[in-house]
Each structure stands twice: as structure tokens, then as C-alpha cells.
Amino acid sequence: MALTLGIVNMIPAITKAQTPSDAIMMEGKRICVAGLYGSDKWDRYWEGTLLRTNGNVTPFTRNTYGLMLAGGITTKLNILVSVPYVHTSSSGGYFKDAKGLQDFGAWLKAEVLKSHLGSGDFTTHAVVGFTTPMSNYLSDYAPFSLGLGAPEAQGRLILQYLLDMGIYARVTGAFLARGTTKIERDYYYADTGYYSDKVDVPNATDFTGTLGCWFFDRKLKVESTYENFNTVKGHDIRRQDAGFPSNKMEASSIGLHAQYFPAGGFGVLANYSQVFAGRNVGKSSGFLVGVTYQFGISKS
Amino acid sequence: MKSHNSIFILIIISLLFIASCTEDVPQYVSYPVYSWTNTDATGGNWKPILLSSNEQIAIPDPTDVSSAEYKTELAALKATTAAVTASQKASVEYWSNNPIIRWNEISRQLSAKYNLAPAPNADGSYPAPSSATPDKYPLFPFAHPPYSCRAFAYLATAQFDALIACWHYKYKFNRPEPGVTDASIAQLFPKSNLPSYPSDGAVIAAVSRDILSAMFPLEKDFLAKKADECINAFLWSGANVQSDIDAGKTLGAEVAKVFLARAKTDGMGAAQTPKAISDSLKTLAQNTFGWSWSNLETPPRPVGITPYFGKVKTWAVTNIVDVRPPAPPKPGSAEFNAAADELKQRLDNITEDQRKIANFWSDGLGTYTPPGHWNRFACNELIQYKLNPLRSARTLAYLNMAEMDAGIACWDAKYYYHYPRPIQTIPGFKTILGTPNFPSYTSGHSTFSAAAADVLSHFFPSENGLFNAYAREAAESRSYGGIHYRFDIEAGLDTGKKVAVYVVNLAKADGGE
């Protein structure tokens, strides 16, 4: 019965205009909390490079419930933390669903450069962070595993040019250094046999390119993003085999994102993304919606 | 900003550090080259499994150690051992003076590699592997538990018979180890005083290569390479001269032929029946018992795994019906309902420990199957008890005859009773392990594990408690996984124990106790 990992790279995002991959900073001594709900689905996945169906594990759904918190240590240094709860299931086949707390994430984000250039601002941000499993979920239960079960350290560089009129372009590049995940058997066959319960989860790169625009006095942001996620090594799922944490994983996706900030510190956001090319991942599409609230923690 | 920058530089450096340390995950079991507890000097007189006598395969008489011919060989060996490189030394340590353990590991590796079910065609039909065209998808073989337990059994029994003959000739001709005749030849293996003609390493390499090449035809080149490495290790270690090796290769290859002739006619060729036969077994069960098993995959697989494996020739069990369990409870009966409730309760409230047990023993697709798991345990004991190759082969031969007979007995029950799986009988029931493509009653894990535990307990009586605990846990794991009822498990354990009695009785009579 073949299984495969679902789409992986999912820091579901976001508090008030704050993600580990955007160019926005919070002012010092302000906090933003966000409640998020996301759902993505797939009916087909790539077994290696072969796009296939598998009625034993599809239609596949992953629901994510997230709490995020962003805080301005200073205007130029922010901290973000994220706590996602994930539920995976298939309405076809006979595999039990999986649910639980996934990976805790924390990031530090700094504005390292800001200069007025022409009729806009050029900014450079650097982000470092890590994620680590919060529960003892099983990473060897593809595609239902809540995550890859390995700690991950991330470094990302964000370059943005924002025209005074509100249009902006942004590119980011990240390196994700991942450790090993512990599974519940002490021999496994990946590209060869391994006598261990440790599985090496391959490191990965992630690049994004975004075009967006602010409207209504910078209360509404609309943007579209192309993203490419790629592990630097790993092996293909063999024909009719199950997915595994040491797989080579690639996913190219496009996304639309909108965020609106009416008065009073509140905001809402919505996100849609679609994987259009991949390797050893689900051809998933999904949305994410959230509510954000921002407040100060001391009078300035 | 300045302080921020230094924090970031520090963090980025640590990130690069994390990225650069990839953990080495071992690809084989490492164990030290050990001194054997004894050499079993009379092992050549033990009763072989298939050979009619320990001289059924003839080898040439060796030259005398005082002959010019032998002296030439000895000089060549001396030159070889004097020039051994670090990587050759590593190879000597890998193969060790008991390559039975490595060849068992190689066979498990191939079992895991080939244990994948065919993917469906676009129209919902399924292709089948064919031994006539092994490299055409789906690759041959599909090394499911019946296939794998049989491959392990032929490997181990052939190794055993080959080593009985080898030991017989060793002590008949009594050619001393090269290091005894010329003390200046470096010996990398511990001294054993085992006569060197024919080379036990070459016997093992040749017989293992030929059996496994027949079982896994696409691996012929890989296995030939492995055999050459194994044989070279016995030269580089100074254990054998070339004529020891040559005689060992001949003996190993000839013994393999005897076992492969049995394999050709043991009924395995007919075990994966056509759909018409498979359907007739289902109809028969439906008419006899009022139930039958169906494959519930999407798309459904038309034939289960090897419906006629229960008819394959056994090694020890004389009549398979003698170990067939009584009929399972009828779905809807009180005993059935109790078993179904237990399963529902377990899956609804599964603990992490229970999940771990289910996964540890899952031994499903892409693994070396339950018999492979038991072979791994057995190899650990061979190392712990420092057994020589002959006694190692004996242990594995009886273990794997028991595993194959257990498999045959279990498959007989599976297709005779054709009992539906929990996902078929319990509405809405979902599992954490994949439900295998064969009927439920009895549990293969339970049958294999009980048989293995009892046979291994015979050879390693002080490990009896450990083996029995393993067998019980392996059996229970199928319940935690949601794929077997209580009565599948208990009947499987019971059958496994019965099979073990036949096998242990053979062992008691072979002269090697």
C-alpha cells in the first residue's frame, strides 16, 4: 500500500504582516497574536517524478490550526514563535488519521539594511530560526505523518524593493539544515538498508519571489508568490513504496495572499496556494485564513 | 545594530555547523572478528538435510604441504598477505571468519529491497512479476513473506549441507592452516586449528552466491561481486591458499545445484495461482463456512499473495493438515464480537508504547519480513555465543526450515479458512498498519514468531525467556496495528509451536547436539 509524504514546507505564516519570509517589521514593544486555520488537499502525488493516483490514501486532507506570536524587541529586531496543531486524514482507504501538535518554531528577524533608493525603499532582512517537534508523532507514517519529525535550523535572507506608490517586489532565499528523525523500527530500506532507527532528513533550500501592492492607505496588501522548495539530496519513492522522511522532495507552487488591517489593531488574512510541480510530494492545493490582533505592551 | 549583527553572525555560523554534521547511519551490523568457542571437529559426520552423504560431492585430493606445488601456493599467499592494504583489511574484518552472518544479512537486504507489491495499471488491473522476464516491471521477485522465508530456507540449508561436506573433507585431508606450515604468513583471523582444505569461506561464498542468484536473478552481478570479495577476504587474511579456495568454490557451487533442483519442484512455481483458482478457494470457503475474505485495496487486487503456498513442499512437517488450527469463530458470534470489540478499543485508545510495538514488528512491505527479523535475532546470538560457521549454519538451517514450514502451515490455514480481515468485518474500522493482501486467519507474524522462538530456544536455551517475549510481542503487535483478531494471533502462535516440534526433532537426530 503506497503512501507518500504530503507537502512539507509549511510554516503556515503570519501575524500582522509578519512571517519569517516577508519584509515587515513590528515596532519595538508591540506584540501581535494570530489564530490561523489552513487546509490543503491532494488526490495525486509524485512517486519520484511520476504523478499518480492512489485510492488507498486519497482524497488526502491536512488541516492545520496555528497560533503565532510576533513581538518587536526593537523596531529592527523581531521575534516570532509558532505552535501548529495538525490533523491528517484520507477519506479513501483504511488508514487511521493522525493528529497532534506538530513542530514548535521560533525565529529572530532583523532588518540589516534599509535605504531610500530612487522612488522607493530597498530593505534587506535576515531571519534565523529553528523548528522542533512538540509531540512524539511518528514521522514514519507517510502520508499521514504530521511532519518530518526532525529539528530544523533555518537561515533566510529577504530582499525587497517597495515603491512609494505601494508596489513591491521581494525575493527570499533560505537554507534549512535538518537533523535526523527517530522512527519506531531499527532497520529500514531507503536507497539501501540501514540498521538504525535514525533517519537522516535531507537539508533543503527554499526560494520565493513575490510581487505585491498595498492599497487603501496601506490597509490592504495583495500579493502573489512563486515558491520553490528543494531538498539537496534524498532518494525517490520506489514504485508502489511508501514515502519516507529521507526522500528527495521538491515542490514548486504559486500562491495568492491578501491581508487587510481595518482600524483597532485587528487584521485578517487569506492565502491560497497550489503546487504545480513536484517530486515525492502531494500535488496539493490549499488555503489558509487567519485573524490577527496587535497591541503595545508599554506606553511610548 | 552592531550587537544584532554579531548575534546573527554567530547564529549563521552555528547553522552552517549543524548543516555540516550529517550523522552516519550504519548500513550493516558491525561485529568484531571473534574466536570460535570450538571448531566442531566431528561436524563432518552430522546428517545433511538433502545430501545423501558427506561425500556426495567429490573434490580432488589436496597436494601435500611438503610438495613443490603447495610451496608455490604458499609463496604466492605470503606475497599477497604481505601486501594487504587498509581497505583489504577492512574487507577482511567485514566478512570475518564467519561469513555466514554476512550472507544472512545480504539475503535480508535483498528481501527488503524486493518486497514491494506491483503498482496498478492505469485501467485498474495489476501486472504480475515473472521469473521469465525478471527485469520487466514489476520486477521479479516480489519478496513477500512466503517468498522470503523460502529464500532464507534454501540459503541456510544449502550452506549447512555444504559446510558439513566441507568439514568432513577438512578433517579427512587435514591440511593445516597456511600459518602453521609457514609461521611468517600473517594470519588476520584468530587461530582456530581448523584444517584449511577446502576453504570454508569459499564454500560459503559460492553456495550463497548461487542460491541467492537463483532467488534474486537481477542481483546476479552484485552477488558475484560479493562472493569474490568474500573469497578474497580469506586470501588476504592468510586463512587459505588458492587450492583451498578452488576446492571450496567447487563444493559450494555443486551443493547449491542440489538445493536448487529441490526448489524447482517444491511447488512454489504454482503458488501464485491464476484468478480462477483463487476465486474457487473463496467460493469453497463461502460455501463451507459462510464467510470469505476480500481484498479491499483501491483498485482491488484480483488474487491474494500465493494462495497455494500452503501446498509447497515442507522440510519437517510431515502432513500440513496435522498442524491446521480449528475453524475460527463465525463473524457475529460472541467470541467474534469480543475480538472485534478488543480491536476497536485498542485502536481508539492506542498508546505510544503500543504504536511503537506495532511499528517495531511491522515487517511489512519494503522490509525483510518477520522471518528476516528472526534471522537478525539469530545472527546476534551466533555472534554472542561465538559460534563457528558450521554451527552457525546449522542454527540458521533449522530456524529457516521452521520459518518456511510455519509459512506453509499458516498459508494453508489462510486460504483454507479464507477468513475476512478486521477492515472487512468491522464497519468504519481503520488501522495504523497496512492490511496485507491475504486472508486473516491465522496471523503470519504469530506463526513465524512462535516457530522461531521455540527453535532458537532449543539452540540457545538460556535465551528462552527473551525469545518467547519477542514472539508474544510480535504476535500482539498485529492487534495494535489493527490487522488481526485475537483468535488469529492465538491460533498462529499455537501452530508455530507445533511446527517447531517437528523441526527440533530433526535437529535432535542430526548428530550435532
Side-chain angles (χ1 to χ4, degrees):
Chain A
M1 212 151 298
L3 312 178
T4 182
L5 279 162
I7 179 72
V8 268
N9 75 359
M10 307 347 164
I11 296 142
I14 331 1
T15 54
K16 155 148 197 174
Q18 252 293 25
T19 75
S21 59
D22 71 18
I24 292 173
M25 298 295 287
M26 308 247 319
E27 288 167 28
K29 306 216 165 76
R30 288 190 72 77
I31 286 180
C32 181
V33 291
L36 302 159
Y37 167 66
S39 182
D40 59 282
K41 294 180 192 305
W42 48 264
D43 291 318
R44 289 182 296 169
Y45 63 94
W46 284 277
E47 184 179 80
T49 53
L50 173 72
L51 184 60
R52 63 164 291 178
T53 59
N54 184 345
N56 301 302
V57 292
T58 63
F60 179 86
T61 304
R62 169 189 301 249
N63 288 318
T64 304
Y65 307 84
L67 267 181
M68 277 195 87
L69 193 132
I73 299 171
T74 69
T75 307
K76 292 192 181 298
L77 182 66
N78 285 186
I79 183 166
L80 293 88
V81 294
S82 158
V83 177
Y85 179 92
V86 174
H87 182 188
T88 57
S89 61
S90 163
S91 46
Y94 294 89
F95 282 100
K96 205 169 152 60
D97 55 359
K99 50 180 181 264
L101 287 169
Q102 194 215 33
D103 300 342
F104 171 81
W107 298 266
L108 277 175
K109 178 172 166 186
E111 181 184 283
V112 291
L113 188 81
K114 180 171 187 172
S115 60
H116 200 73
L117 236 141
S119 50
D121 285 329
F122 178 73
T123 50
T124 302
H125 291 82
V127 181
V128 291
F130 75 95
T131 66
T132 191
M134 275 183 289
S135 66
N136 201 13
Y137 67 79
L138 181 62
S139 57
D140 181 21
Y141 188 43
F144 301 100
S145 300
L146 304 183
L148 293 168
E152 176 176 304
Q154 309 173 350
R156 185 183 294 271
L157 210 59
I158 302 164
L159 307 178
Q160 178 173 282
Y161 188 61
L162 167 64
L163 289 170
D164 297 338
M165 62 186 286
I167 294 176
Y168 58 90
R170 184 170 69 240
V171 292
T172 80
F175 186 74
L176 316 174
R178 296 137 127 208
T180 55
T181 181
K182 194 168 183 252
I183 60 171
E184 294 179 335
R185 50 202 174 105
D186 58 0
Y187 174 84
Y188 58 90
Y189 192 92
D191 48 344
T192 184
Y194 293 92
Y195 282 87
S196 175
D197 58 2
K198 296 254 175 55
V199 182
D200 194 12
V201 178
N203 297 335
T205 56
D206 185 56
F207 295 97
T208 66
T210 299
L211 277 177
C213 189
W214 288 98
F215 298 100
F216 308 128
D217 201 19
R218 306 223 165 162
K219 281 188 169 161
L220 174 67
K221 181 178 82 164
V222 178
E223 60 183 42
S224 70
T225 295
Y226 163 83
E227 178 169 13
N228 179 260
F229 172 88
N230 216 327
T231 59
V232 299
K233 59 173 187 175
H235 58 94
D236 280 334
I237 302 173
R238 296 181 302 153
R239 196 81 179 93
Q240 197 69 7
D241 200 358
F244 203 62
S246 52
N247 283 144
K248 171 86 180 149
M249 290 182 214
E250 297 174 14
S252 297
S253 58
I254 45 165
L256 289 172
H257 174 71
Q259 231 172 331
Y260 180 59
F261 310 107
F266 281 99
V268 290
L269 63 93
N271 202 61
Y272 174 82
S273 69
Q274 165 77 58
V275 174
F276 63 88
R279 186 162 171 174
N280 304 308
V281 296
K283 192 174 189 303
S284 68
S285 62
F287 67 87
L288 178 86
V289 290
V291 184
T292 64
Y293 178 66
Q294 192 190 141
F295 55 94
I297 49 169
S298 75
K299 297 219 162 38
S300 52
Chain B
M1 263 325 288
K2 236 187 152 69
S3 62
H4 292 167
N5 282 349
S6 48
I7 292 175
F8 270 89
I9 289 166
L10 194 71
I11 293 172
I12 284 166
I13 289 171
S14 21
L15 196 71
L16 290 172
F17 179 73
I18 293 171
S20 67
C21 41
T22 47
E23 207 165 324
D24 265 345
V25 184
Q27 296 178 13
Y28 56 86
V29 175
S30 112
Y31 61 93
V33 176
Y34 58 82
S35 295
W36 308 330
T37 43
N38 71 57
T39 52
D40 282 312
T42 59
N45 299 324
W46 296 350
K47 188 175 184 303
I49 307 292
L50 288 188
L51 294 184
S52 53
S53 83
N54 52 20
E55 291 205 352
Q56 182 184 330
I57 312 294
I59 56 168
D61 289 6
T63 54
D64 193 81
V65 291
S66 61
S67 68
E69 235 175 317
Y70 186 77
K71 281 178 179 154
T72 310
E73 284 197 82
L74 212 55
L77 182 68
K78 193 170 173 176
T80 303
T81 52
V84 160
T85 64
S87 81
Q88 289 172 340
K89 216 169 173 175
S91 182
V92 168
E93 277 162 22
Y94 167 82
W95 286 102
S96 88
N97 55 350
N98 187 359
I100 287 285
I101 295 165
R102 281 297 166 224
W103 282 102
N104 188 274
E105 188 175 280
I106 291 166
S107 71
R108 300 199 303 268
Q109 167 95 346
L110 295 180
S111 162
K113 180 175 178 181
Y114 283 86
N115 187 5
L116 286 177
N121 297 316
D123 63 1
S125 64
Y126 283 92
S130 160
S131 58
T133 51
D135 56 343
K136 183 172 163 277
Y137 187 83
L139 304 183
F140 178 86
F142 169 14
H144 44 59
Y147 193 91
S148 291
C149 75
R150 176 172 170 271
F152 297 143
Y154 280 100
L155 174 65
T157 49
Q159 287 172 334
F160 183 42
D161 274 16
L163 284 178
I164 290 174
C166 173
W167 246 246
H168 165 70
Y169 287 126
K170 275 177 182 291
Y171 286 93
K172 176 179 178 183
F173 297 123
N174 243 329
R175 180 191 262 183
E177 288 174 291
V180 173
T181 311
D182 181 346
S184 71
I185 291 177
Q187 302 274 297
L188 295 180
F189 293 148
K191 273 218 159 359
S192 65
N193 293 320
L194 184 70
S196 72
Y197 185 92
S199 158
D200 44 305
V203 167
I204 295 167
V207 72
S208 304
R209 174 199 61 206
D210 288 0
I211 295 287
L212 290 177
S213 294
M215 297 292 165
F216 300 94
L218 297 177
E219 301 294 332
K220 216 173 160 207
D221 293 346
F222 163 76
L223 291 162
K225 198 172 136 265
K226 279 296 199 188
D228 288 346
E229 274 177 30
C230 178
I231 287 166
N232 281 333
F234 278 74
L235 286 170
W236 296 331
S237 72
N240 295 118
V241 297
Q242 192 59 44
S243 56
D244 299 335
I245 299 281
D246 292 342
K249 280 161 81 171
T250 306
L251 179 57
E254 289 303 315
V255 172
K257 284 180 192 162
V258 174
F259 281 77
L260 291 175
R262 181 193 191 270
K264 266 210 173 78
T265 56
D266 68 1
M268 189 63 176
Q272 192 60 47
T273 65
K275 187 169 187 306
I277 290 177
S278 169
D279 288 349
S280 72
L281 296 175
K282 182 175 179 150
T283 308
L284 183 63
Q286 189 67 46
N287 294 340
T288 312
F289 306 111
W291 64 65
S292 62
W293 163 75
S294 297
N295 174 286
L296 298 187
E297 283 176 62
T298 308
R301 292 185 187 270
V303 181
I305 287 175
T306 54
Y308 270 3
F309 189 62
K311 297 186 186 304
V312 167
K313 189 175 176 186
T314 53
W315 296 95
V317 175
T318 40
N319 183 1
I320 209 71
V321 179
D322 293 344
V323 295
R324 184 185 286 166
K330 200 175 171 62
S333 66
E335 193 191 342
F336 172 87
N337 290 340
D341 285 344
E342 182 195 21
L343 267 184
K344 282 188 280 188
Q345 283 292 324
R346 280 193 162 178
L347 270 289
D348 284 345
N349 305 295
I350 191 155
T351 66
E352 272 178 19
D353 281 346
Q354 293 169 335
R355 182 188 79 183
K356 201 170 176 176
I357 289 169
N359 284 302
F360 180 79
W361 295 101
S362 62
D363 295 333
L365 295 168
T367 74
Y368 45 45
T369 78
H373 212 152
W374 282 97
N375 272 278
R376 182 177 173 188
F377 291 142
C379 285
N380 293 344
E381 300 306 330
L382 305 180
I383 297 162
Q384 192 192 326
Y385 285 87
K386 298 185 163 54
L387 300 193
N388 65 51
L390 173 64
R391 198 161 276 280
S392 297
R394 179 171 181 263
T395 309
L396 294 177
Y398 288 105
L399 169 66
N400 286 296
M401 286 192 285
E403 293 298 79
M404 184 165 161
D405 279 12
I408 293 167
C410 178
W411 252 248
D412 165 74
K414 279 184 182 293
Y415 283 93
Y416 178 74
Y417 292 117
H418 225 279
Y419 202 75
R421 291 273 180 176
I423 53 169
Q424 190 183 339
T425 58
I426 306 172
F429 189 64
K430 291 199 165 191
T431 66
I432 62 167
L433 295 180
T435 296
N437 179 28
F438 35 80
S440 200
Y441 185 83
T442 60
S443 150
H445 271 58
S446 308
T447 317
F448 284 128
S449 297
D454 279 8
V455 170
L456 288 179
S457 295
H458 173 73
F459 293 114
F460 307 103
S462 51
E463 311 296 335
N464 171 43
L466 177 71
F467 295 139
N468 283 333
Y470 278 166
R472 175 45 76 177
E473 190 176 274
E476 286 301 320
S477 77
R478 310 310 272 172
S479 169
Y480 298 135
I483 60 177
H484 274 295
Y485 314 95
R486 164 74 32 213
F487 46 82
D488 295 344
I489 290 168
E490 301 304 335
L493 287 168
D494 196 44
T495 305
K497 287 180 113 42
K498 285 183 184 152
V499 169
V501 172
Y502 287 87
V503 176
V504 168
N505 283 341
L506 282 187
K508 282 177 179 165
D510 79 348
E513 291 293 287

